[in-house]
Each structure stands twice: as C-alpha cells, then as structure tokens.
Amino acid sequence: MITPDEFPYIKSLYVNDCYTYKDFNIELYDYKPFSHLILTGKNGSGKSTILKAVDNHISSLKIGIDPKVQVDSYQNLIGQMTSLYGESEQLESLKKDLFLLWSTLPFYTSESYGFWSNTKKEKLYSFFKAKRDSKVNPVNTVTKEIDFANQLQESHPTQTLASQFKQYLVNKKVYQAFDQINKDQVRFAETEYFFDLLTTSFQEIFEDENLEIVFRQEDFEFFIKLSDGRKLTFDVLSEGFSALLSILMDLFTRVDLIRKQVADFAYNPCGIVLIDEPETHLHLQMQEQVLPLLTSLFPNIQFIVATHSPAVVASIKQATIFDLSTKERRISEDTVGRSYSDLMTTHFGLNNEYSATADDIIKQVNDVLNSSDKNPAAKKQALQSIYDTNSAYLSPTLKVELEMLIVQHDVQQEL
C-alpha cells in the first residue's frame, strides 16, 4: 500500500500561459507530508482553467502518457505553426486552444510517469467542477460489487460516482445481511464501520447529533431521518446539501472500494482531489466546515481548490493560498484565525470591510467634514441629516462614530 511519504503530491505548478496571466510559478509551502492548495483571484484570473489543466495532466498520467512527450509534441507543433503563420493573432488564438486540448502546462513532472498507471487500485483521484450534478439514480435491484470496482478504474474522474451512491449503499446492506447469515463477523463489522462513519459525517453536515440513516428494504430506499421526525431522501435535498454530499458520496465510495481492494479497512488512501468552488450553494457557516470535514475524513488526500470565499480560505491548516490576480502567496498561519473582514481587504482586494452602501455614507460624512464651511452648527446639521436618513443602514460601529462626530460639533457650537 502507498504511504504519504511515497506518494507524488503536487509541490508546485508552473503556468506557461493562462490567457491574461503567463510565466509564473505557484510554489506550495513545504508542509509535511504535503500542502493543500487554495487558489483565489478575480473572475477570469484562471482558477478554473488551471484546475482543468491539472485534471488533463493527471488523467493523461493515469492512462500512461508521459507528460514530457505531451510538452515536446506541443512545442514541435507550435514551432511548425509559427513557421506557417508567423507571430500573429491567429497563432495566439490557436495556441490558447491547444493549451486546453494538449494540457501543455507542465504541472506534473515526468518523475511521476508510470506511478499513476501502475498503482490504479491504491490511490484516489477525482475532480469536482463548480456545477456539480447531485442527482442520485433510483435503485431497483442489487448489482455486482465488481461493477463498481470496474467503474472506479474506468470512469473519468469528472464523472463522479455520486449518482450511483444509493445503489452502492443498497448493495452494502444486502451483502451485510448475507455476511450475518454466513457468520462472517469481520465483513459484517467492516460494513457497520462504513455506515457509522457515514452517519457521523451526515450528523455533522446537518448539525443533528441524533440523525440516522434508515434503510427500507421493501423498495431499496434510504432515508436521512432527522431528530425532528423528518425523513429526507437523497432526491429532495437542497442545492447546498446536494452540492456538498455529491463530493462526499463520490469520495466515500472510492475510498471504500480501495479499502476492499487492498483488504485493509483502516487504510487511508493517498491521492489528489480537485474542487472548483467548494462553497457552491453553501451557507457561510457550512463554507467554514466543508474543507475541515473533508481533510479530517480523508487525511492523506491533497485538496486543490479554487474559491471566492474568505470562509474557505481561513478554514484549514497546512494550506498554501495563492491569489492569481496579485501573484501573492500566503500560508495557513497567515489566514487561519483571521477575521473575514481582514481577509476581504488584505487578500481579496476590497477597499475596506464595508458594503458599497456604507462606503457611500462614509463619503457623505467625509465631504461634510472636509468642506470649507467653518460653521459647526451647519456641519452638525448636515451630519445629523446623514444620520437620520441612513440610520437603518449603519452598522453599530458606524452609528457610534457618527454620533460622536455630531456630539463633537455640538460642543464646538456651544464654545
């Protein structure tokens, strides 16, 4: 079995050409055994494009294509095109198309060539796009377990196993019943451990410590039973829960299959998981929890994510945070525990922690304070008018500050 010390985790990404951003290196901090990577940046800065290129690269490695051959072939083709078209806009356009088609970014060195194709059964890889399909297929019968194992190896990682999750659960329950009949206590306990872990994870997601996962054998249906008596199927969950559970269902299935193949249910597989916008459809509180939950459940998985959320950025340790717009690199020690307002201004580039409405109110106040009118009474009246008109939109802090300015000009008027 592969250990974290043996696994070729990503240590750096070199970006040749990502449209408006070119020729820079994303160096991951030297955490042991690996660093997670959180990509941030404005819309159009290349977050999703880089994730797609990493996916193309690792997917090529999985089927045994040497990345050096890819890059050499690309460079040879670019040379031929340059001779044909010269340095022109047409050439630049073709190069960008080839960049996506050929996976030209040398994210992964040839040192890992052969590793991915030779150890298919022991490692985990998946890619979750921002628009995630959380539909769970209905179940009518029990299927062979080998079908899922084959699907794990043959499917592209962007085609998640989440749609087959209910089928997988049904199979496990039916096989567990046979294990009980055959007095196979080891296999029975392994399945029980799987469902216990699944239940605990769902309890954390739904913030309900009494949540249960109930199986109705008559129609092969599973319910999420909440402490208030509600029973939810996987088909009626909100977009937020579905988006998160689509990731969990996929990874739970892959990990369980790998553990079966290596015959060790204590094994935590190594691997790499890409997630574009893990905060999709999630409430702010759940945005804080998504990466801590995933990293605790899958401790040997390196997560590479792209996000717009300060809650995601500040949520986990042992992560490198790289902003593609500014090329600024931070590490977890700089972000975990920081206030979101601080991150919004220092990392995400906002002018301040306030909304645009608050900014406009502050500008009105500053215009009054900086006006050439030296009359304290007139300034007090103007400040009072701003306060009365915008009181409902002022934060407690801004209210106090504006009230103090009014009192100050009232005192100056009396003097």
Side-chain angles (χ1 to χ4, degrees):
M1 289 179 287
I2 304 167
T3 67
D5 292 334
E6 298 170 323
F7 190 84
Y9 294 106
I10 292 176
K11 296 181 179 179
S12 67
L13 306 179
Y14 185 79
V15 180
N16 283 333
D17 185 349
C18 192
Y19 299 146
T20 56
Y21 299 95
K22 301 180 181 181
D23 299 323
F24 63 92
N25 192 49
I26 303 173
E27 193 74 29
L28 277 65
Y29 191 72
D30 191 26
Y31 291 115
K32 301 298 182 184
F34 59 85
S35 171
H36 303 292
L37 175 61
I38 300 176
L39 295 172
T40 63
K42 296 179 180 179
N43 290 332
S45 60
K47 299 185 298 298
S48 298
T49 301
I50 288 176
L51 289 185
K52 290 175 184 176
V54 175
D55 174 55
N56 288 339
H57 209 79
I58 295 180
S59 297
S60 297
L61 288 169
K62 287 184 67 178
I63 60 176
I65 298 177
D66 188 337
K68 186 177 184 303
V69 173
Q70 282 190 311
V71 174
D72 288 347
S73 300
Y74 169 82
Q75 291 172 340
N76 290 336
L77 186 56
I78 290 298
Q80 295 173 28
M81 291 168 58
T82 303
S83 300
L84 182 63
Y85 295 105
E87 295 294 339
S88 62
E89 291 184 5
Q90 185 177 8
L91 175 62
E92 289 302 313
S93 176
L94 289 169
K95 286 168 67 176
K96 288 177 180 179
D97 291 339
L98 282 170
F99 154 69
L100 292 175
L101 175 65
W102 218 286
S103 182
T104 59
L105 304 187
F107 289 114
Y108 229 53
T109 66
S110 293
E111 295 174 4
S112 57
Y113 172 61
F115 178 89
W116 284 88
S117 59
N118 294 335
T119 57
K120 289 183 179 180
K121 293 184 178 181
E122 298 179 33
K123 63 189 178 308
L124 187 151
Y125 174 64
S126 199
F127 175 30
F128 302 96
K129 297 181 179 180
K131 294 181 179 180
R132 294 187 275 278
D133 184 6
S134 56
K135 179 182 178 182
V136 179
N137 296 339
V139 178
N140 300 311
T141 186
V142 181
T143 61
K144 295 180 181 179
E145 189 173 289
I146 190 63
D147 293 341
F148 283 96
N150 291 337
Q151 185 178 357
L152 177 69
Q153 301 305 331
E154 295 173 4
S155 66
H156 191 275
T158 58
Q159 301 167 345
T160 68
L161 299 178
S163 62
Q164 299 294 324
F165 188 62
K166 189 190 295 187
Q167 180 72 69
Y168 193 67
L169 295 183
V170 168
N171 289 357
K172 290 187 74 68
K173 276 295 183 183
V174 172
Y175 295 148
Q176 186 183 36
F178 284 122
D179 292 334
Q180 189 172 28
I181 293 172
N182 296 329
K183 295 183 169 51
D184 191 335
Q185 295 303 316
V186 174
R187 286 178 59 90
F188 182 90
E190 289 171 348
T191 303
E192 198 68 15
Y193 171 75
F194 173 88
F195 278 102
D196 286 345
L197 186 61
L198 186 67
T199 301
T200 301
S201 300
F202 278 34
Q203 287 173 345
E204 187 171 343
I205 292 171
F206 286 87
E207 298 181 306
D208 186 342
E209 61 182 13
N210 295 315
L211 176 150
E212 300 177 42
I213 296 177
V214 179
F215 176 52
R216 191 169 65 193
Q217 62 188 36
E218 292 83 1
D219 54 358
F220 293 151
E221 186 59 88
F222 274 90
F223 296 93
I224 301 170
K225 183 180 178 182
L226 304 176
S227 57
D228 61 8
R230 287 179 296 160
K231 289 183 178 180
L232 308 175
T233 64
F234 293 113
D235 314 279
V236 299
L237 298 176
S238 68
E239 287 291 338
F241 284 128
S242 295
L244 175 54
L245 289 179
S246 66
I247 297 175
L248 276 176
M249 291 185 294
D250 178 275
L251 297 183
F252 265 121
T253 304
R254 293 181 189 276
V255 168
D256 193 57
L257 286 169
I258 291 172
R259 285 171 172 168
K260 285 181 180 178
Q261 290 166 7
V262 301
D264 184 353
F265 275 77
Y267 178 55
N268 284 313
C270 299
I272 295 172
V273 170
L274 314 177
I275 310 177
D276 197 356
E277 298 185 17
E279 71 273 17
T280 296
H281 300 302
L282 295 182
H283 180 272
L284 185 61
Q285 186 175 5
M286 188 57 69
Q287 292 180 30
E288 294 178 316
Q289 298 172 5
V290 55
L291 284 187
L293 176 64
L294 292 174
T295 54
S296 64
L297 288 171
F298 312 108
N300 293 337
I301 300 297
Q302 182 183 37
F303 288 93
I304 312 291
V305 306
T307 184
H308 292 285
S309 171
V312 172
V313 168
S315 65
I316 58 169
K317 300 176 181 178
Q318 289 195 262
T320 301
I321 301 94
F322 191 90
D323 189 274
L324 293 169
S325 302
T326 63
K327 308 300 181 295
E328 180 180 13
R329 186 188 82 159
R330 292 176 176 238
I331 58 176
S332 293
E333 287 81 350
D334 298 330
T335 58
V336 174
R338 298 278 288 275
S339 70
Y340 296 160
S341 60
D342 185 21
L343 285 173
M344 288 167 66
T345 56
T346 62
H347 186 81
F348 286 90
L350 296 184
N351 292 328
N352 56 58
E353 62 187 283
Y354 299 113
S355 67
T357 300
D359 285 344
D360 182 62
I361 297 170
I362 293 171
K363 182 180 183 302
Q364 293 178 46
V365 172
N366 287 331
D367 287 345
V368 171
L369 296 177
N370 296 327
S371 68
S372 57
D373 191 344
K374 303 297 183 182
N375 186 344
K379 288 193 174 184
K380 177 197 171 186
Q381 184 178 0
L383 293 172
Q384 187 67 55
S385 175
I386 294 172
Y387 183 92
D388 294 340
T389 304
N390 300 286
S391 178
Y393 308 106
L394 294 172
S395 69
T397 301
L398 285 178
K399 269 190 175 182
V400 171
E401 291 180 357
L402 188 48
E403 288 168 354
M404 290 178 64
L405 285 172
I406 293 171
V407 171
Q408 178 183 340
H409 282 80
D410 192 27
V411 171
Q412 291 177 1
Q413 179 183 354
E414 293 177 359
L415 296 176

